[in-house]
Amino acid sequence: MMKFSLSSPVRVHAWVVSMMIVLLTTHTVVAAQTNSTSSREMTLQSAIQRTLTNSPELHEFTYRQQAVEGEIKTASLKPALNAGIEVENFLGTGEVSGIKDTEMTLTLSSVIELGNKLNSRKEFTKAQSTLVEAQKQVQTLDILAEVTRRYIDVLAQQALIKAQKDAEALARYTYQAVSKRVNAGASPAFEQQRAEAELAKARLDVLTAQQTKQAMINSLAIMWGEQNPTFSNVEGELLALPSSPSLSSLFRTLSDSPNLDVYAQNARLQAAQVRLTEAANQSDLSWTAGIRRINSINDTAFVAGVSMPLFAASRNLGEYEKQRAVQGQLEQQKQSATQNLYHQLNMALIARNNALLNVQTLKNSIIPPLVNALSLVEQAYINGRFSYLEWVSTRQELLNAKQALIQSAKQAHQRGADIEALTGQPLFNAHRTSISSEIK
């Protein structure tokens, strides 16, 4: 007998990363935890924490941010002050032979930046820092969505193993019942052989499912770099499935999605680049000042000079037009990404709703009649009124329905994780009701 407990909704609240990011989902698969939880069981919360702590993809952003901070320091520097020395009229011929007519000049020089270039550079590098943080948020959502999907894979495989073990137990009971009828001469001997083969196949299905589960556990543990997992099961209620929110309410959450915020930050970075290019229209003023020693008359004199490039605005026009075009291109990319997100959200929602419909139908309208039918066919076979084939066929139909139920529940959970990765918001709140019933 296969029994699923669906007494309460399962979820994990949204996490905040770097004071800003919503850490994805975990909506309906985490069961209530107690102090007696076995160390051999993994929770979704623990899987998320381990991944965040050990993911090299996220640690990479720490170094990217440090690189940007270095650029910020460099951008905040004013033009350097240069010291120079110049010697003229020495080691020549005739009257300028030797060093008696040498002229030596000591100078200081620098550049006076015009056009607010210093602030423009600082704004550009700060926009780079904000963009890196937005990219980290998107990467975090993607990683957590993958953790959740792999966690759900293991959870669904555990339910499938239980179903396969139930099928093995039923195949064993069938073999024993057929053997009794064959020994009593009430059924042909080939039915016993077929029942024995069915029992062997059921055992094989259990072993295959167990091996697949271990591979899935390995894939989950790899998310945080663990090559030899120390857990053998995960916690969760596979059939705790709250109903989906409306498409319009999900669309409203997209405006705050990190997936769109990264385009907004990219646009701000490009706007800063445009301002930096505009600042280059104003030529900088180069200046030089110093003192010159003239040996021939044994006197000193001050020297000074200024210079400025001409026609800087016209020479910079091409670069400015290029940066403006890039700015417009980024706006179109954001609009395209927004439309794509709407489409992905719509498809994920319909897939989840279809999975929920399958779960409800299988649970309420398909599996219960098959359970009753199997009991009736079993009794009829024992009484000699139905054949062995009808019994096995009904048993297989029930197993197929249970497997379909598990796959539909898995699909519903994973599409929910996709929705949360797209919106950056938890799909359910703490007060949503879940499906509450049992399948026996």
Side-chain angles (χ1 to χ4, degrees):
M1 306 275 278
M2 185 176 180
K3 183 176 180 181
F4 295 99
S5 175
L6 306 175
S7 58
S8 62
V10 189
R11 70 207 173 279
V12 166
H13 297 294
W15 295 64
V16 176
V17 177
S18 299
M19 302 299 292
M20 298 172 63
I21 184 169
V22 176
L23 256 195
L24 191 73
T25 193
T26 72
H27 52 299
T28 57
V29 297
V30 178
Q33 301 169 23
T34 65
N35 294 330
S36 60
T37 298
S38 170
S39 61
R40 299 287 294 172
E41 289 188 334
M42 175 64 62
T43 66
L44 184 54
Q45 180 177 350
S46 178
I48 286 175
Q49 290 174 335
R50 295 185 184 198
T51 301
L52 291 178
T53 302
N54 298 288
S55 173
E57 295 179 62
L58 295 182
H59 290 325
E60 174 191 348
F61 285 93
T62 300
Y63 296 101
R64 289 179 59 182
Q65 197 65 262
Q66 290 176 358
V68 173
E69 289 173 0
E71 294 182 14
I72 292 175
K73 291 179 180 179
T74 301
S76 301
L77 296 175
K78 295 181 179 180
L81 186 64
N82 302 309
I85 183 170
E86 182 178 341
V87 180
E88 300 177 9
N89 302 331
F90 71 101
L91 300 181
T93 60
E95 294 183 356
V96 292
S97 63
I99 60 172
K100 61 181 185 299
D101 291 326
T102 298
E103 294 182 8
M104 181 181 294
T105 306
L106 298 176
T107 61
L108 290 177
S109 62
S110 187
V111 174
I112 299 175
E113 288 186 320
L114 303 177
N116 201 29
K117 291 185 178 65
L118 177 61
N119 288 335
S120 296
R121 286 198 306 272
K122 291 166 67 175
E123 288 178 4
F124 178 76
T125 51
K126 289 179 180 177
Q128 283 182 309
S129 177
T130 305
L131 176 60
V132 169
E133 184 60 33
Q135 291 171 339
K136 180 182 179 181
Q137 294 178 21
V138 173
Q139 187 66 37
T140 302
L141 287 178
D142 291 342
I143 289 175
L144 293 180
E146 182 61 23
V147 172
T148 303
R149 283 189 286 266
R150 295 188 189 187
Y151 190 95
I152 293 168
D153 283 340
V154 179
L155 187 64
Q157 193 65 18
Q158 288 177 179
L160 183 60
I161 289 174
K162 184 178 184 304
Q164 296 288 9
K165 286 183 176 180
D166 290 343
E168 180 188 6
L170 187 55
R172 183 178 297 105
Y173 172 75
T174 302
Y175 172 73
Q176 293 170 351
V178 170
S179 297
K180 290 180 180 179
R181 286 184 56 83
V182 170
N183 293 336
S187 294
F190 70 83
E191 288 189 354
Q192 184 178 11
Q193 300 300 317
R194 294 180 64 179
E196 184 178 359
E198 286 292 331
L199 177 57
K201 181 179 180 300
R203 289 170 178 166
L204 176 62
D205 290 340
V206 171
L207 293 175
T208 302
Q210 289 173 337
Q211 289 184 348
T212 301
K213 174 192 168 185
Q214 186 57 50
M216 291 177 172
I217 287 177
N218 292 339
S219 293
L220 175 60
I222 286 172
M223 290 296 297
W224 55 84
E226 186 177 358
Q227 297 181 358
N228 298 304
T230 56
F231 62 97
S232 57
N233 292 290
V234 299
E235 288 189 0
E237 296 287 348
L238 185 64
L239 295 187
L241 291 166
S243 59
S244 300
S246 66
L247 183 62
S248 59
S249 65
L250 290 176
F251 279 172
R252 286 193 294 270
T253 65
L254 276 182
S255 59
D256 297 324
S257 170
N259 291 285
L260 290 182
D261 183 59
V262 72
Y263 286 95
Q265 298 304 330
N266 212 349
R268 292 189 181 98
L269 176 64
Q270 185 58 31
Q273 177 66 65
V274 170
R275 289 191 293 271
L276 187 59
T277 306
E278 284 180 321
N281 290 337
Q282 178 68 53
S283 298
D284 296 332
L285 183 66
S286 299
W287 63 267
T288 302
I291 188 170
R292 176 173 294 171
R293 172 67 181 177
I294 307 173
N295 282 346
S296 60
I297 58 175
N298 197 29
D299 280 328
T300 59
F302 289 106
V303 295
V306 294
S307 65
M308 175 181 288
L310 300 178
F311 314 115
S314 60
R315 295 179 64 85
N316 193 49
L317 180 60
E319 181 65 20
Y320 175 75
E321 290 178 347
K322 170 189 172 182
Q323 297 302 333
R324 288 288 294 177
V326 172
Q327 189 175 28
Q329 179 183 353
L330 289 175
E331 179 59 31
Q332 295 304 311
Q333 289 177 355
K334 180 182 179 181
Q335 293 182 16
S336 175
T338 301
Q339 293 175 356
N340 189 42
L341 280 176
Y342 282 142
H343 170 69
Q344 292 182 53
L345 195 57
N346 178 54
M347 298 307 295
L349 182 63
I350 188 62
R352 185 176 193 276
N353 286 339
N354 286 341
L356 289 178
L357 180 60
N358 289 339
V359 169
Q360 289 281 14
T361 303
L362 286 163
K363 179 180 68 68
N364 296 326
S365 304
I366 296 179
I367 291 181
L370 285 175
V371 171
N372 294 332
L374 180 61
S375 178
L376 293 174
V377 171
E378 173 190 334
Q379 188 61 46
Y381 172 79
I382 293 175
N383 294 335
R385 291 186 290 111
F386 280 178
S387 69
Y388 166 77
L389 183 61
E390 290 172 315
W391 188 10
V392 172
S393 176
T394 305
R395 186 185 70 194
Q396 188 60 45
E397 288 178 12
L398 178 58
L399 177 60
N400 292 342
K402 289 179 179 180
Q403 291 175 341
L405 176 63
I406 292 169
Q407 291 302 318
S408 295
K410 173 182 173 180
Q411 177 85 348
H413 282 298
Q414 292 190 331
R415 298 297 73 77
D418 293 342
I419 291 171
E420 291 180 334
L422 292 172
T423 62
Q425 300 291 332
L427 192 58
F428 309 108
N429 59 44
H431 304 291
R432 292 291 180 90
T433 58
S434 69
I435 303 170
S436 299
S437 63
E438 294 183 348
I439 298 176
K440 296 185 179 179

